[in-house]
Amino acid sequence: MSHTVLVCDDAIFMRTMITDILAQAGFEVVGEAETGTQAVEKYRQLKPDLVTMDIVMPDMGGIDAVREIVKQDPDAKILMCSAMGQQALVVEAIQAGAKDFVVKPFQPSRVLEAVQRVLG
Amino acid sequence: MDLSQYAELFLAESREHLSACNQLLLEWERNPAALQPVGGLFRAVHTIKGMAATMGYGRVADLAHRMENLLDQLRRGGKTPSDEIIQLLFRATDALEKSVTVAVAGRERDADLSVLEAIDDAALQFRPAAQPSGLARLRPEPAPAPADEPSSSAPQVSADATKSGPTRAVHVVIRPEAPLKGGRAMLVLKKAERFGAVHRLQPPSAAFESDDFDGRLEFELETSAAPSDIEQALRGAGDVERVVVGAAAIDEAVITTGEIPVTGAPNPAGGAGGGARSRHIRVDLRRLDTLMDLIGELVTERGRLNDLAARWIGRGGDPEIDDVAIQISRLSADLQNEIIQARMTPVWQVFDRFPRLVRDVGRQLGKQVSFRVEGKEIELDREILDELGDPLVHLLRNAVDHGIEPPAERKRLKKNPEGEIVLAAVRERSSVAISISDDGRGIDRAKILEKAKREGVVGPHVESLSDDQLLRVLARPGFSTAEAVTSVSGRGVGIDVAMTRIRALGGSIEIRTQAGKGTAFVLRLPVTLAIVRALIAAVGQERYALPLTYVAETVEYGTTPTTTMEGRDAIVLRDRVVPLVDLRKLLGTNGAAASPPPRRPVIVLEMGERRVGIVVDGMLSQQEIVVKGFDAPQGTLPVFSGATIMGDGVPALILDAAGLV
Amino acid sequence: MIDGSLVSARLLVFRVGTLAWAAEVDQVREILPRLPTTRIPGAPPVVAGLVNVRGTLVTVVEGWRALAPTETSQPRPPEDAGSTLILEVASGNGTKDGSGKKLVGFTVDEVIDMVAVGDTTLEDRGGLPGVDPTLVRAVGRRNRPGGAGGGAGGGGESGKDLFIVLDLAALLGPVLTT
């Protein structure tokens, strides 16, 4: 059975792209979230195998969302989606419990490598 | 991975740390009760160890590790070290420096590690007394254990009661091309923590958040897991270039704090002491030379653009082109300035090795010397600075050997038994003056004069030597004044060599000496070789550049009293006779040009005490010129230091003040 | 015997004075119009001076002074006519970049042609009247374009012009040695 994924990003374009990359590799994207609050809610409902989490999102940011999710499920497998120049934020996210990160612009191979590391 | 590409960086960075070690040791030697030096030493050696291990230089890393052990014992013991210990650390630092050099040269096997035994013995001796007997050895690598200690190599027991257990040194290098290396490092750390506690993390995790983080981290991991397991797990963090897991070693470090305290950053660039990573990168000097050449071309083209713009507007073209031309002028001037700045290097990069040198020479000769460096932050062009090292070494050795009297003699003369040598750098108009002064016996003019007469250097009628004449006598190849030939300064040769070197850099040397009071040598150097401000003089139809560094003033020929000096025309300037050189005659500027104007400018050049007036036809401008070399054909007059390209793209030769004065 | 290294070389043929000369194309870095020169005081008259070749300073040798000093009766072309060849010549003592090569400029009155050396192009012939034999590597002939005689040519077979392959190192080496 394929792994389930929750994709969290406030940009449709980014969500679409990540979904495409993952779907082509045989993952099942079971939900999408546009804000941190939504991400926390949907994680509770869907219990996905993997979450991709943008750092900057309205209402609740990605890092706070990571803290909330890890509070509920210490084994949550969260992959941060960051940009160049977000070094300090990435470090913070990892300290908060994120398992790995990818840097925009995404290369499919890099994203899948990171996903494998998180799930493996 | 091809590590050889990092060798140069490793060497340069190690040298910075070794230089810091020498500074700290000198400080410690002066004040053995001080606590700061040992912390800085520990960190510098520790850093070298980590770099050497990363480079795969096992012997260097081993030597550094054992030094680190000893330093840690000393630091934790908090006792004042004996002089022998400090001398041992000096020797160890020398050995480390040599081993680094040979390792980079690919001959690591040649490293002389004979000092190791003494280091280990000293470390054992300084082991805190309260430790239980049967303590495992302090040596990092399995080696024959002394008979009175347990023969099993593991487990090793820490002296510190708060924590125990074997630890492994771990070095991780994140791929250089990886983005956000700090995040990667944090993942590595997370993975490592699953094996056990992490100690001595370098750099501290706060550094991961900085964009300057270079992707290298090291720590000690409290675990007995197999190195291969650790390596595999850490590679799981992704983007890991290299993992080196060391053999088990006792963790005798500051377990309570977990991190190395940073004390007394020894140099202003933050090379050794600072926790923050330097924002500097190293650039091959040849790159900067190329940039300089390109800028020269740009400046030339800029001149053409300006001409074109003027013509275009003259023909009714859009005057906006003028704005563009002006902007380009401004940008290229800024760019040129930035590149010059990029070549500037603070003098401490060369000066920092001198305290050690003066100390060593002083000890060797039984002289007591306090050595002071001033103006460390003054900057010079890198190329000049590199060339300056040897002449300064020579002059400093001379000062200790011939200048400073033995302590007994100084006492007899009611001087402080400890002599003083000051090395000072001062920025002047467009040059830097570097002085080496001592409060020693000064140079005995009468003796030199006598010897100079005997050797026929000066005529028999000369009654006294001015400072300037004295220097000329001293600088004669092979002229020796030393009573006894010592191993330190050799046979008086050297001032000539130093002088030649300084002059080749477009600099000058001056001497001031007073019997019984001391001697000072003053070296004046242009700040940069690549670009200088120059006076552009016209001679006939030709243009020549005269670097402003040595231009004292300009006067007008015909308005100044004239006289002759040794058969040459001369002018009298504030009661001093200045000989003249007519550039037309000197350079053979032929008669195609109009006859010289009636009132010709005289450019007075000054080098030390010597002056000469250069008679030209006119002065065209004052501007920055890019100095370039050229292949001087056979017969070229020896009065040019290079050439430059003027705004119109035509070359102009640069007159060498040293060749004219 | 013909200089073996010239077999299958390509030659640049140019005119200095009344004669045609040639240099190996491999030694010619570029061909530029005459550039303004700066006199180098003390240098021999054969040195025209220093020129700026896109930021690099190059010493230029006056071709006619080097090759045709006796043709003083010939009217010289105006100073700005002709070309400057930028040549790469081996130098005895190595240069800064360690390549052992130096750049030197050489003024010619006219660049004529580029020829490939074939089996019959070159002949070994020294002792040309008025030419220093130590500068001659070989003598060659090229087909006269359209059979019309150019300014060059040392006489000889009809439809063919004579040219002299120069030994650049022998010609320029002594000037450049400081």
Side-chain angles (χ1 to χ4, degrees):
Chain A
M1 196 191 119
S2 63
H3 289 287
T4 55
V5 187
L6 170 65
V7 176
C8 310
D9 200 305
D10 58 335
I12 300 174
F13 170 79
M14 292 309 308
R15 289 203 302 275
T16 312
M17 197 180 138
I18 295 167
T19 302
D20 286 351
I21 292 171
L22 294 175
Q24 273 174 27
F27 292 90
E28 189 189 350
V29 176
V30 292
E32 294 184 12
E34 289 176 42
T35 70
T37 318
Q38 272 184 28
V40 177
E41 257 166 44
K42 295 220 169 166
Y43 187 86
R44 195 179 305 148
Q45 291 164 18
L46 302 168
K47 291 274 180 268
D49 298 326
L50 176 77
V51 182
T52 72
M53 183 77 75
D54 188 22
I55 288 183
V56 182
M57 287 190 293
D59 125 43
M60 182 195 284
I63 295 173
D64 285 333
V66 170
R67 285 202 186 92
E68 285 298 313
I69 292 172
V70 170
K71 216 185 276 173
Q72 293 170 29
D73 178 4
D75 292 331
K77 294 183 166 60
I78 307 173
L79 175 66
M80 300 307 290
C81 299
S82 64
M84 289 306 293
Q86 290 185 324
Q87 179 117 296
L89 294 172
V90 165
V91 169
E92 192 185 342
I94 292 163
Q95 281 170 324
K99 292 288 187 285
D100 211 315
F101 64 94
V102 286
V103 182
K104 297 170 194 170
F106 297 137
Q107 289 167 275
S109 60
R110 304 277 295 170
V111 174
L112 295 173
E113 273 168 35
V115 167
Q116 290 303 338
R117 283 197 300 264
V118 172
L119 294 174
Chain B
M1 180 178 66
D2 177 20
L3 281 167
S4 64
Q5 57 180 314
Y6 301 107
E8 209 169 301
L9 186 60
F10 165 75
L11 182 64
E13 213 169 335
S14 296
R15 283 192 169 148
E16 275 177 23
H17 289 291
L18 286 161
S19 171
C21 285
N22 273 319
Q23 300 291 316
L24 289 162
L25 281 171
L26 288 168
E27 199 182 307
W28 212 9
E29 187 181 44
R30 270 198 304 279
N31 180 9
L35 295 171
Q36 288 92 338
V38 68
L41 280 165
F42 181 88
R43 212 193 96 81
V45 171
H46 178 81
T47 307
I48 293 170
K49 179 182 83 167
M51 293 193 295
T54 310
M55 288 297 295
Y57 298 146
R59 290 164 76 96
V60 180
D62 187 42
L63 173 57
H65 186 90
R66 298 200 198 185
M67 285 176 74
E68 189 187 333
N69 265 334
L70 171 58
L71 287 163
D72 191 49
Q73 297 295 328
L74 293 169
R75 183 174 59 169
R76 291 203 300 149
K79 274 191 231 142
T80 301
S82 64
D83 191 50
E84 288 87 82
I85 289 291
I86 290 185
Q87 301 319 316
L88 169 65
L89 287 169
F90 271 121
R91 287 208 307 282
T93 302
D94 289 346
L96 190 57
E97 178 153 21
K98 288 203 184 90
S99 69
V100 163
T101 310
V102 297
V104 170
R107 294 180 286 112
E108 204 199 353
R109 296 167 61 95
D110 295 353
D112 177 10
L113 300 179
S114 54
V115 74
L116 276 182
E117 206 172 323
I119 295 173
D120 286 352
D121 288 350
L124 280 170
Q125 171 203 329
F126 268 82
R127 187 175 59 191
Q131 284 173 9
S133 63
L135 175 79
R137 292 172 313 100
L138 297 161
R139 299 182 194 202
E141 298 295 331
D148 60 339
E149 288 177 8
S151 55
S152 64
S153 60
Q156 291 173 316
V157 184
S158 168
D160 195 312
T162 59
K163 206 160 273 182
S164 66
T167 67
R168 293 182 183 281
V170 181
H171 302 268
V172 180
V173 181
I174 307 293
R175 280 198 188 111
E177 70 276 13
L180 306 190
K181 297 186 187 62
R184 225 30 93 180
M186 185 51 84
L187 283 173
V188 168
L189 212 55
K190 285 261 171 187
K191 304 245 179 230
E193 278 168 351
R194 291 198 199 150
F195 287 92
V198 169
H199 303 297
R200 291 189 181 187
L201 173 63
Q202 273 299 324
S205 58
F208 297 164
E209 296 184 14
S210 158
D211 288 332
D212 295 334
F213 174 62
D214 64 357
R216 289 189 308 188
L217 67 154
E218 52 181 86
F219 50 86
E220 294 197 353
L221 187 57
E222 198 177 317
T223 180
S224 49
S228 58
D229 291 347
I230 298 172
E231 181 179 340
Q232 199 191 351
L234 299 192
R235 283 192 179 276
D239 276 340
V240 170
E241 171 97 38
R242 187 178 168 84
V243 177
V244 181
V245 181
I250 235 176
D251 180 18
E252 76 283 19
V254 268
I255 290 159
T256 43
T257 64
E259 274 171 13
I260 315 291
V262 176
T263 49
N267 70 47
R277 296 280 158 160
S278 157
R279 294 188 72 93
H280 295 87
I281 57 157
R282 288 184 165 77
V283 178
D284 192 325
L285 205 54
R286 280 168 296 192
R287 278 247 154 96
L288 292 178
D289 287 342
T290 308
L291 275 174
M292 223 43 221
D293 286 347
L294 290 172
I295 272 292
E297 281 179 50
L298 185 61
V299 168
T300 308
E301 294 302 314
R302 177 182 77 189
R304 285 184 55 198
L305 178 64
N306 287 341
D307 289 352
L308 271 175
R311 265 186 283 156
W312 169 249
I313 294 166
R315 274 190 249 126
D318 188 343
E320 204 179 329
I321 194 173
D322 212 25
D323 295 346
V324 178
I326 290 167
Q327 282 301 313
I328 290 191
S329 292
R330 186 182 61 75
L331 289 171
S332 51
D334 288 354
L335 192 55
Q336 177 177 312
N337 200 33
E338 284 298 314
I339 293 165
I340 294 171
Q341 287 307 316
R343 292 173 59 98
M344 298 301 272
T345 313
V347 294
W348 61 257
Q349 291 209 352
V350 165
F351 285 13
D352 269 7
R353 65 186 161 110
F354 294 147
R356 174 75 196 273
L357 172 96
V358 170
R359 167 199 170 273
D360 287 354
V361 175
R363 278 177 85 92
Q364 198 182 330
L365 294 169
K367 307 270 177 89
Q368 287 177 22
V369 187
S370 95
F371 180 60
R372 207 167 74 229
V373 178
E374 291 171 4
K376 275 183 149 190
E377 70 294 338
I378 301 284
E379 291 184 326
L380 274 173
D381 186 278
R382 174 64 190 270
E383 201 175 331
I384 298 177
L385 195 59
D386 284 349
E387 287 287 313
L388 207 54
D390 290 348
L392 286 178
V393 165
H394 180 81
L395 294 171
L396 285 168
R397 282 172 181 272
N398 256 330
V400 181
D401 190 6
H402 301 311
I404 303 293
E405 309 89 335
E409 188 182 331
R410 290 182 67 95
K411 266 184 214 155
R412 204 167 57 239
L413 294 164
K414 302 217 173 353
K415 282 180 162 180
N416 184 341
E418 188 181 60
E420 184 174 53
I421 296 176
V422 181
L423 173 64
V426 181
R427 179 75 197 250
E428 295 182 339
R429 267 176 311 171
S430 55
S431 59
V432 167
I434 293 170
S435 60
I436 302 103
S437 44
D438 66 65
D439 67 347
R441 57 169 73 100
I443 294 172
D444 187 339
R445 278 170 209 271
K447 207 192 279 174
I448 302 276
L449 179 60
E450 188 190 317
K451 196 167 157 79
K453 280 183 183 169
R454 218 169 39 233
E455 294 189 3
V457 180
V458 297
H461 58 282
V462 177
E463 282 171 17
S464 68
L465 289 173
S466 69
D467 280 345
D468 191 34
Q469 287 169 315
L470 182 68
L471 182 65
R472 263 183 276 179
V473 172
L474 289 176
R476 283 179 62 86
F479 188 91
S480 171
T481 56
E483 303 278 278
V485 174
T486 67
S487 67
V488 176
S489 308
R491 299 176 50 89
V493 294
I495 290 190
D496 59 324
V497 176
M499 201 153 160
T500 309
R501 193 80 78 85
I502 298 297
R503 284 193 39 183
L505 293 170
S508 67
I509 297 194
E510 223 178 291
I511 191 175
R512 285 195 293 267
T513 185
Q514 214 180 337
K517 292 274 172 68
T519 303
F521 283 92
V522 182
L523 280 50
R524 277 201 178 73
L525 293 146
V527 175
T528 172
L529 286 180
I531 295 213
V532 293
R533 254 201 111 62
L535 212 56
I536 310 299
V539 184
Q541 299 293 312
E542 299 174 343
R543 291 174 298 187
Y544 292 92
L546 273 155
L548 278 182
T549 319
Y550 303 105
V551 173
E553 61 188 302
T554 54
V555 294
E556 224 169 56
Y557 190 59
T559 62
T560 334
T562 53
T563 175
T564 57
M565 179 186 177
E566 290 161 16
R568 285 163 75 187
D569 281 341
I571 50 172
V572 182
L573 216 54
R574 288 183 293 280
D575 299 334
R576 277 186 63 182
V577 178
V578 178
L580 294 178
V581 172
D582 186 337
L583 220 46
R584 271 183 178 248
K585 285 184 198 149
L586 177 73
L587 303 178
T589 308
N590 62 38
S595 57
R599 285 194 168 177
R600 300 174 69 196
V602 177
I603 301 166
V604 180
L605 301 181
E606 184 177 48
M607 263 191 138
E609 290 178 14
R610 270 168 292 160
R611 295 174 138 217
V612 67
I614 309 293
V615 186
V616 300
D617 289 356
M619 286 188 292
L620 300 174
S621 62
Q622 208 186 84
Q623 67 186 70
E624 293 204 321
I625 57 167
V626 181
V627 179
K628 289 169 176 288
F630 66 95
D631 294 324
Q634 163 219 24
T636 306
L637 292 177
V639 293
F640 304 108
S641 58
T644 189
I645 296 169
M646 303 298 289
D648 58 4
V650 178
L653 297 178
I654 301 169
L655 286 161
D656 175 23
L660 291 166
V661 173
Chain C
M1 157 136 198
I2 297 164
D3 190 334
S5 63
L6 286 173
V7 173
S8 82
R10 293 200 308 149
L11 300 173
L12 184 78
V13 183
F14 50 86
R15 182 178 63 80
V16 175
T18 54
L19 292 180
W21 310 81
E24 275 181 77
V25 169
D26 286 352
Q27 290 184 295
V28 182
R29 177 79 78 85
E30 57 189 310
I31 303 167
L32 299 169
R34 272 200 82 114
L35 301 163
T37 53
T38 299
R39 185 179 71 96
I40 303 172
V46 72
V47 174
L50 219 49
V51 298
N52 165 22
V53 180
R54 289 188 311 281
T56 302
L57 296 170
V58 178
T59 302
V60 175
V61 169
E62 192 71 65
W64 69 270
R65 284 190 189 272
L67 296 178
T70 53
E71 297 177 14
T72 41
S73 56
Q74 294 282 325
R76 292 299 315 151
E79 275 291 293
D80 55 354
S83 299
T84 304
L85 309 183
I86 304 299
L87 305 170
E88 229 175 39
V89 293
S91 129
N93 40 355
T95 47
K96 268 180 280 178
D97 59 358
S99 66
K101 293 207 167 170
K102 277 183 176 175
L103 285 185
V104 60
F106 190 77
T107 63
V108 302
D109 295 346
E110 183 190 2
V111 173
I112 300 172
D113 198 4
M114 191 122 79
V115 296
V117 175
D119 292 339
T120 57
T121 327
L122 297 181
E123 55 192 76
D124 189 23
R125 202 171 112 188
L128 289 165
V131 177
D132 180 350
T134 60
L135 303 179
V136 180
R137 287 174 75 187
V139 172
R141 287 178 191 283
R142 58 184 264 281
N143 293 317
R144 188 175 301 160
E157 295 152 50
S158 62
K160 295 228 171 184
D161 279 345
L162 190 75
F163 60 81
I164 301 161
V165 184
L166 272 173
D167 187 336
L168 290 175
L171 176 69
L172 303 173
V175 178
L176 296 177
T177 317
T178 43

